[in-house]
Amino acid sequence: MTPEQDPAKPSTPGVVVALQIIDNLELGGAQRLLATLASQYPAKQGLPILSLDDGEPPFLPILQAAGARVAMLAGLKLWHPLSIPRLVWVLRGRAEHVIHIHLTYATILGAPAARIAGKRVAISLHNARTVAGTNLRARVLRGLETFCLRHFADRIIFVGANVERANHARIGGTPGITVPNVIPAPPALDPVDRALIRRANGAGPKDVVVIATGRLSPQKDPLLLIRAFAAAQAKVENLVLWMVGDGALRREAEALAASLLPSGDPTNARIRFLGARDDVPRLLPAADIFALSSLWEGLPVALLEAMAAGLSIACTRVGDIPEFLPEDAALIVQPGDETGFAGALARLAEDPALRQTLSTQALDAVAAHCDVDGWKKTLEQIYAELA
């Protein structure tokens, strides 16, 4: 990629368009937020995005369909001494005056490079715990990220109140602001399409489908979800689980599912690993229950999407969830509570009236998070203040 590529060309006088820099274009909440933001810009303009990863990532076509102008910078390594100078050279060739950075690796590489290149820097924190683990590598990453938040950022954007509380001490004197996540209104799904999607993914008309969307990583605790589902399915035989996503724990998760719910016929498997998908907005309303078993979160976009799709929710009490999801809008259990999660799934599967009640309450609760235009204007105001 040459530094002249993909300059921002604001179509509205006075509107500042920021270059978005992100670790990668895998399927995740931060990437979905960028797709939401990209959809708000005119097609001829396009939101400029720079991914610090190359290849053919699964979220690339989604961003391109939303009108984003995506560039990918291949070969950057966190510990390579030339990575930051190379990124500085690229950013100096860009027209944008404001850089908005997402996720840890992009922060560590992008924040100092942007500052050296003479840009103003906003950094979004998407999680209460931005770096998982307590080993030496995790401590070094967290330390480097904290240093960048304090010394190379002009504004920190927290995606929820709990994320702000968890990370406020890390930002030092850098000004911070909380801008809660949003989601666009979900597309309608007619009954015929719903039935076709269910059949294509191994669910019959009488099955109750549980769906989980997200990385198969320790944070999301997919192994607990599989064990809890197996316990619930022993009580409610017509339960089906769709695991949507990929990650480091996929092989272990598949092996666990096979050991708990063996099936001679793979087409009758109760747990389906659907992998990384670009049609999550269509899969959600084809399911009945959304499951989120995370050990920690910020304000999870996946949960907001499920609520807006009208699903009943079984989730853990983590991050900002208790603050925006009322007790009467979901079955909420403590993180790591396998028995409690199994009970929640079984209860929802057995009680269609409860599912409908929780769905209605969840739709009411998520309405405040569907103001995409207001959210975009808040970001643009931040960019304007920095520029």
Side-chain angles (χ1 to χ4, degrees):
M1 187 190 77
T2 64
E4 293 81 20
Q5 281 182 299
D6 215 17
K9 297 178 181 178
S11 60
T12 305
V15 173
V16 177
V17 179
L19 171 65
Q20 312 289 317
I21 300 183
I22 193 166
D23 284 9
N24 58 62
L25 299 181
E26 300 299 321
L27 294 174
Q31 290 83 353
R32 289 206 284 273
L33 278 176
L34 289 188
T36 298
L37 184 59
S39 69
Q40 302 302 299
Y41 286 87
K44 291 184 179 180
Q45 177 186 358
L47 178 71
I49 298 174
L50 176 62
S51 171
L52 304 187
D53 198 7
D54 59 349
E56 291 295 330
F59 213 82
L60 178 60
I62 299 175
L63 286 168
Q64 291 173 331
R69 301 163 68 205
V70 182
M72 293 182 287
L73 192 56
L76 285 189
K77 302 295 182 183
L78 185 61
W79 311 113
H80 196 287
L82 295 181
S83 289
I84 289 179
R86 185 178 171 205
L87 189 51
V88 170
W89 179 79
V90 169
L91 294 181
R92 280 179 173 161
R94 305 277 314 194
E96 301 90 359
H97 297 294
V98 177
I99 309 295
H100 188 172
I101 299 175
H102 308 265
L103 305 180
T104 298
Y105 281 77
T107 295
I108 295 172
L109 291 174
R115 180 60 64 83
I116 294 169
K119 310 292 186 177
R120 303 302 299 278
V121 179
I123 300 175
S124 276
L125 294 180
H126 294 270
N127 247 306
R129 291 168 59 187
T130 57
V131 180
T134 58
N135 59 20
L136 177 60
R137 179 182 176 83
R139 294 198 301 271
V140 169
L141 288 176
R142 183 177 173 86
L144 289 173
E145 183 184 51
T146 299
F147 185 84
C148 291
L149 297 176
R150 293 186 173 210
H151 299 287
F152 298 124
D154 298 292
R155 189 67 52 87
I156 305 300
I157 300 172
F158 306 104
V159 302
N162 184 68
V163 175
E164 191 276 334
R165 286 193 296 270
N167 290 284
H168 183 75
R170 301 177 64 200
I171 71 174
T174 307
I177 183 173
T178 298
V179 183
N181 285 344
V182 296
I183 54 165
L189 187 66
D190 66 57
V192 174
D193 283 344
R194 187 176 191 270
L196 289 174
I197 292 171
R198 288 169 67 90
R199 188 182 313 128
N201 292 287
K206 295 184 178 180
D207 284 330
V208 177
V209 176
V210 179
I211 186 171
T213 62
R215 298 182 311 279
L216 299 182
S217 66
Q219 175 193 351
K220 306 296 182 180
D221 209 356
L223 304 183
L224 177 140
L225 175 56
I226 290 169
R227 292 192 298 267
F229 173 83
Q233 201 269 334
K235 299 178 181 178
V236 187
E237 292 186 354
N238 63 331
L239 265 182
V240 172
L241 173 61
W242 292 346
M243 300 286 288
V244 182
D246 211 340
L249 293 181
R250 175 157 182 172
R251 287 188 179 180
E252 188 174 352
E254 289 176 335
L256 177 63
S259 68
L260 293 175
L261 295 170
S263 173
D265 181 0
T267 63
N268 291 327
R270 295 280 97 185
I271 300 179
R272 293 285 179 130
F273 290 88
L274 305 188
R277 300 280 292 253
D278 60 6
D279 60 347
V280 170
R282 286 176 58 81
L283 288 174
L284 285 169
D288 304 289
I289 300 167
F290 180 79
L292 185 144
S293 54
S294 298
L295 295 173
W296 71 89
E297 283 286 355
L299 180 54
V301 173
L303 181 57
L304 296 176
E305 291 175 335
M307 293 166 65
L311 298 186
S312 55
I313 307 295
C315 64
T316 47
R317 193 181 305 278
V318 293
D320 279 283
I321 292 175
E323 300 192 22
F324 82 90
L325 184 58
E327 293 288 341
D328 62 355
L331 298 186
I332 308 176
V333 303
Q334 294 300 322
D337 183 359
E338 182 180 320
T339 301
F341 212 99
L345 293 177
R347 185 180 171 194
L348 289 173
E350 293 172 328
D351 194 339
L354 175 61
R355 294 203 301 271
Q356 183 57 53
T357 297
L358 295 184
S359 169
T360 301
Q361 298 292 345
L363 283 169
D364 290 342
V366 81
H369 294 275
C370 294
D371 182 12
V372 175
D373 183 62
W375 170 74
K376 172 179 176 278
K377 288 179 179 177
T378 299
L379 292 179
E380 287 179 340
Q381 181 179 353
I382 294 170
Y383 302 155
E385 291 170 356
L386 295 182

